[in-house]
Amino acid sequence: MELSISTVPTPKSVSFSARCSVAGPVTQMPKPARLGKRWKEYQGVQNWKGLLDPLDDNLRSEIIRYGKFVEATYKSFDFDTSSPSYATCCFPKHSLFHHCGLPDTGYRLTKNLHATSGIRLPRWIDKAPKWMSNRTSWIGYVAVCQDEDQITRLGRRDVVVAYRGTTTCLEWLENLRSTLTHLPDTTNVLGLDCSVEPKSEPKPMVGRGFLSLYVSGTAEYRSLRDQVREEIGRLIQSYGDEPLSVTITGHSLGAVLATLTAYDITTTFRHAPLVTVISFGAPRVGNRSFRCHMEKSGSKILRIVNSQDPVTKVPGFVIDEVSSRDAIQVAGFPSWLQTQWVYADVGTELRVSSRDSPYLRGPTTNVATCHELDTYLHLVNGFVSSKCPFRKTQQPPFTQVVG
């Protein structure tokens, strides 16, 4: 029933690297699209109606732009388990984008974010290598658009929350804790009103390990939830009198955390700005009740899925025909199984496929390749429509600048 959720950007196979090395990976930000008064449309206020099939070029540009923010989380993370700074951010806030090849984003990084595992460790772990018991690690950041030209182009001031995928041992173990558990009640922060669901409504449930990484904390590090609430609350108070958006983006586990963050923001702050999730390779997050609550909260989710990526098909299973109630009754299925394992996909889907790219075909394309963030950006770059899945080019689309 349980499947391991691979989110680490593992080294590419030699053959895959060779195919891409002719032009190299996407390293430049796409050409900016002037969104102006249509910015809410591109942020999903109408669930991207008419923009996905065929894929609107301005939306393509924005998706890849946010993907580059996620890519920066991987480039900034210290993967070296022998290093004393393992699982921390390699760069200071003021120069992170510069070190990651993104010097002209127009955004200023305002807060580093850390996630903590809530798994109870056995006593023998003290004798194991330190990286095995690393409980808290750098997971991403919050950044706010400060450049006036960029704000004019976007049509509003934008706040970005970006998350990486799984990297540490305990994060992998949390991924395996994939039974469903109830979300804690929303609590008030900064004196703002909280939304309260009627007691008769079914309670939303999400993956136990995912929630643990979001709500767990230590004496040194508060929970990721508390970190995000404090920073988003501060930014809302600072810029709430002007057009403002919050865009949360992540890959794999980071996409799950992005979804939980969006739900938390929209159910915590009474007058939250438009909250949008751009997720890449997200596993399932919660049950049908969670999806219904998510939709009611006003969050907009664009879930980019590669058909060949097995991570997007786990954990649990989906029963589309059942009604959304506390106890889902399906003939032949014990109630405990239904309660603990019936998940539901959430958000608007943009489906792409590795098989449509002439550069990702053949026996050398494996499961890890299908799940990599680079692959997702490549497929979004080349996708045209369901009737014309991949645009014809004379060279690998890794070199193209979208616009």
Side-chain angles (χ1 to χ4, degrees):
M1 183 70 68
E2 297 187 16
L3 292 178
S4 173
I5 298 175
S6 172
T7 61
V8 180
T10 53
K12 302 177 180 64
S13 64
V14 174
S15 57
F16 180 73
S17 297
R19 291 200 304 275
C20 301
S21 62
V22 176
V26 181
T27 56
Q28 297 181 353
M29 294 288 282
K31 287 183 179 180
R34 185 166 292 276
L35 305 182
K37 295 181 180 180
R38 296 185 63 191
W39 72 266
K40 289 187 178 180
E41 183 180 353
Y42 286 103
Q43 287 295 106
V45 72
Q46 298 178 353
N47 296 314
W48 296 278
K49 182 178 180 181
L51 298 177
L52 298 177
D53 194 8
L55 181 59
D56 180 270
D57 280 338
N58 289 345
L59 180 58
R60 184 201 318 276
S61 175
E62 288 299 285
I63 292 172
I64 294 178
R65 187 173 71 90
Y66 286 116
K68 303 306 288 185
F69 284 117
V70 180
E71 188 176 75
T73 65
Y74 285 122
K75 291 182 176 180
S76 302
F77 188 82
D78 187 349
F79 287 91
D80 185 0
T81 56
S82 64
S83 169
S85 60
Y86 168 66
T88 65
C89 182
C90 297
F91 311 121
K93 289 191 296 185
H94 70 273
S95 61
L96 184 146
F97 290 141
H98 176 78
H99 283 290
C100 294
L102 303 174
D104 301 317
T105 64
Y107 288 70
R108 178 175 61 87
L109 199 152
T110 64
K111 190 176 184 65
N112 284 307
L113 300 174
H114 297 80
T116 299
S117 169
I119 292 177
R120 297 182 63 180
L121 300 176
R123 293 181 180 178
W124 59 260
I125 201 70
D126 293 336
K127 299 179 181 180
K130 187 176 180 181
W131 62 267
M132 291 185 63
S133 60
N134 190 82
R135 186 176 292 278
T136 301
S137 57
W138 184 80
I139 194 77
Y141 57 82
V142 181
V144 60
C145 187
Q146 299 282 41
D147 182 79
E148 292 300 326
D149 290 339
Q150 181 79 321
I151 292 172
T152 300
R153 182 189 75 78
L154 293 173
R156 84 285 184 187
R157 187 185 300 272
D158 185 43
V159 175
V160 165
V161 182
Y163 293 125
R164 60 163 176 79
T166 310
T167 58
T168 70
C169 180
L170 291 186
E171 288 171 359
W172 280 96
L173 293 178
E174 290 284 24
N175 285 342
L176 295 176
R177 298 207 299 165
S178 48
T179 54
L180 289 163
T181 187
H182 289 289
L183 277 169
D185 292 335
T186 303
T187 56
N188 198 313
V189 294
L190 299 177
L192 299 175
D193 292 336
C194 303
S195 61
V196 178
E197 294 292 337
K199 293 183 178 180
S200 60
E201 288 290 321
K203 297 297 184 181
M205 302 178 73
V206 297
R208 184 178 301 275
F210 300 149
L211 184 62
S212 173
L213 287 168
Y214 189 63
V215 301
S216 299
T218 65
E220 182 180 3
Y221 289 100
R222 292 180 303 160
S223 69
L224 176 60
R225 176 182 62 182
D226 289 345
Q227 296 168 53
V228 170
R229 284 183 179 183
E230 179 184 56
E231 185 63 9
I232 294 301
R234 185 184 71 82
L235 294 173
I236 290 175
Q237 289 188 337
S238 297
Y239 304 111
D241 59 347
E242 59 184 273
L244 182 69
S245 66
V246 177
T247 309
I248 315 169
T249 185
H251 172 240
S252 200
L253 171 64
V256 173
L257 295 176
T259 303
L260 293 177
T261 299
Y263 179 81
D264 192 46
I265 292 173
T266 53
T267 57
T268 297
F269 300 104
R270 183 178 182 183
H271 299 294
L274 179 59
V275 177
T276 301
V277 174
I278 306 293
S279 76
F280 301 89
R284 297 169 186 146
V285 180
N287 64 358
R288 289 174 63 91
S289 180
F290 175 73
R291 179 174 68 186
C292 292
H293 281 66
M294 196 85 200
E295 292 170 352
K296 290 178 181 179
S297 75
S299 296
K300 301 300 178 181
I301 301 176
L302 181 58
R303 190 168 53 92
I304 301 151
V305 175
N306 179 2
S307 296
Q308 278 65 58
D309 182 2
V311 173
T312 62
K313 302 175 177 65
V314 296
F317 56 91
V318 173
I319 302 175
D320 292 331
E321 295 79 11
V322 298
S323 60
S324 177
R325 303 302 307 167
D326 278 330
I328 303 174
Q329 299 300 322
V330 181
F333 285 83
S335 59
W336 67 266
L337 183 64
Q338 297 165 35
T339 302
Q340 294 295 311
W341 289 103
V342 176
Y343 277 73
D345 294 324
V346 60
T348 301
E349 182 181 276
L350 172 60
R351 182 166 290 272
V352 293
S353 174
S354 294
R355 293 177 180 174
D356 293 330
S357 169
Y359 310 101
L360 296 175
R361 296 172 183 168
T364 57
T365 301
N366 55 31
V367 171
T369 300
C370 291
H371 185 58
E372 286 176 351
L373 178 61
D374 281 350
T375 297
Y376 272 87
L377 298 184
H378 165 70
L379 294 176
V380 171
N381 193 10
F383 179 78
V384 178
S385 69
S386 57
K387 295 182 179 179
C388 179
F390 216 83
R391 50 183 175 179
K392 296 179 180 179
T393 59
Q394 295 180 348
Q395 55 184 338
F398 290 85
T399 62
Q400 293 180 359
V401 178
V402 179

